[in-house]
Amino acid sequence: MAAARELVIWRGSQFSSKALAALRGKGFLPIQDYKLSSAPMGLEERKKLLPAPYTVPLLRWDGEVVAGSDEICAFLDERVAEPLLYPAEHEGEIRRLERAASDLYWVNGWLSTVDAAGFERWSGARVRKYVSGGGAGVGPRLLFKALPGSVTSRMIHGVAKKSYLATLRRRGAELGGETGAACLRLAAERDTAAVMEEARAMLRVFDRELQASATEFFCGASEPTAADLTLYGMLERWLGNSLCPGLNGPAQPSVIDGMPGLSLAWERMHERFQRDSTLPEL
């Protein structure tokens, strides 16, 4: 393993899954070809380890530092020619689809955090294990042991939900425009069925694109493009285990029902990346 190569991620992050898949597509495997590190959740702790703006995924590669999954994909195309994540003949369309797939992020988070059933399926067991083991501090651990499981599960979800809604409000104010308005609208929404239908409407657009493609990937590509990998990161949380088997589960396993193009693309990518990019204990 090259000591000067490291990917810093959050386990369960959609864009971290994208970065891992991009490296795998270029032939690089975690642990074998680069160090894999998990960033702390707290901002002050991240400031000690990461350059501004202190976000992940972050790639350190032979003296260069690249932050952001889109930027990592572009960087990898500069370093390794094939397969291209942005095929030259379709680069504009791939980047358009990549941006559109990134827009799924907020409904993806809502349906795996605000929705109680989605949260439980995605990370309920993982968070309970974390709290009961003392990861959240002595007080929460003692409460976890003293109270019935149903009560502590509701409390844990309540904290996660409150935090995500606060993030939606903050990002909505910061981002402005259509994306900011979407965040603020989701921050006020409490109807899971409405958000699910919004997500499915967005996903149907990608399904039509994939059904029209000559291959299971966008624009007739023989290998997943950066747009495919962005979509994969979202689907991994909704349908898979966020590359963390035994820790995470599928938040919304029926979200692409009736979408054959998406279903095929998901099956191909999940099978490939689950096989050799699954996250070890960090």
Side-chain angles (χ1 to χ4, degrees):
M1 180 184 70
R5 296 178 173 182
E6 177 186 24
L7 180 67
V8 185
I9 62 164
W10 280 323
R11 287 188 296 178
S13 157
Q14 303 94 319
F15 294 117
S16 291
S17 293
K18 174 185 175 180
L20 281 157
L23 283 159
R24 173 61 186 89
K26 294 292 189 176
F28 300 110
L29 299 177
I31 309 304
Q32 177 178 314
D33 297 308
Y34 60 90
K35 179 182 178 182
L36 193 60
S37 303
S38 182
M41 296 300 292
L43 177 59
E44 294 307 314
E45 289 80 7
R46 292 202 305 277
K47 285 182 176 180
K48 300 173 184 176
L49 300 174
L50 304 175
Y54 319 114
T55 58
V56 296
L58 181 133
L59 182 68
R60 295 188 174 100
W61 202 263
D62 298 340
E64 298 197 50
V65 178
V66 187
S69 62
D70 297 6
E71 291 78 5
I72 289 170
C73 286
F75 175 84
L76 291 173
D77 266 4
E78 293 174 1
R79 295 299 183 276
V80 182
E82 297 293 338
L84 287 173
L85 298 168
Y86 300 99
E89 65 273 28
H90 300 293
E91 182 176 359
E93 181 66 1
I94 293 301
R95 289 190 180 277
R96 181 189 71 80
L97 290 165
E98 182 181 42
R99 290 191 296 271
S102 294
D103 287 342
L104 287 166
Y105 178 78
W106 303 108
V107 291
N108 188 282
W110 199 103
L111 288 169
S112 56
T113 307
V114 179
D115 175 46
F119 176 78
E120 177 59 31
R121 287 187 293 262
W122 174 54
S123 64
R126 174 181 172 183
V127 177
R128 283 193 295 274
K129 179 180 178 182
Y130 175 78
V131 174
S132 66
V138 175
R141 181 173 64 84
L142 294 175
L143 275 176
F144 189 91
K145 289 185 175 182
L147 296 173
S150 59
V151 174
T152 55
S153 292
R154 286 196 300 271
M155 291 173 64
I156 288 170
H157 173 247
V159 171
K161 176 180 175 180
K162 181 179 179 180
S163 175
Y164 191 73
L165 291 175
T167 297
L168 284 170
R169 288 188 288 269
R170 176 175 56 80
R171 294 297 286 154
E174 292 171 351
L175 293 169
E178 292 184 8
T179 302
C183 288
L184 293 174
R185 178 175 48 75
L186 285 168
E189 183 61 75
R190 297 296 183 273
D191 185 349
T192 295
V195 180
M196 175 66 90
E197 184 47 45
E198 179 179 349
R200 283 178 55 79
M202 296 171 76
L203 288 166
R204 289 187 194 102
V205 175
F206 298 112
D207 184 60
R208 289 193 291 271
E209 293 275 358
L210 289 165
Q211 288 194 66
S213 176
T215 67
E216 61 265 45
F217 307 120
F218 289 125
C219 299
S222 60
E223 295 291 328
T225 68
D228 294 286
L229 297 183
T230 308
L231 189 58
Y232 164 73
M234 306 298 165
L235 294 178
E236 186 62 61
R237 180 179 286 201
W238 272 333
L239 304 173
N241 54 36
S242 301
L243 295 175
C244 297
L247 292 177
N248 290 105
Q252 300 293 343
S254 65
V255 71
I256 62 169
D257 284 2
M259 302 182 200
L262 270 175
S263 296
L264 179 59
W266 158 247
E267 289 169 7
R268 294 287 189 272
M269 291 189 285
H270 180 67
E271 178 184 8
R272 175 182 305 188
F273 302 129
Q274 188 76 198
R275 184 172 58 245
D276 46 25
S277 295
T278 295
L279 299 177
E281 291 288 342
L282 296 178

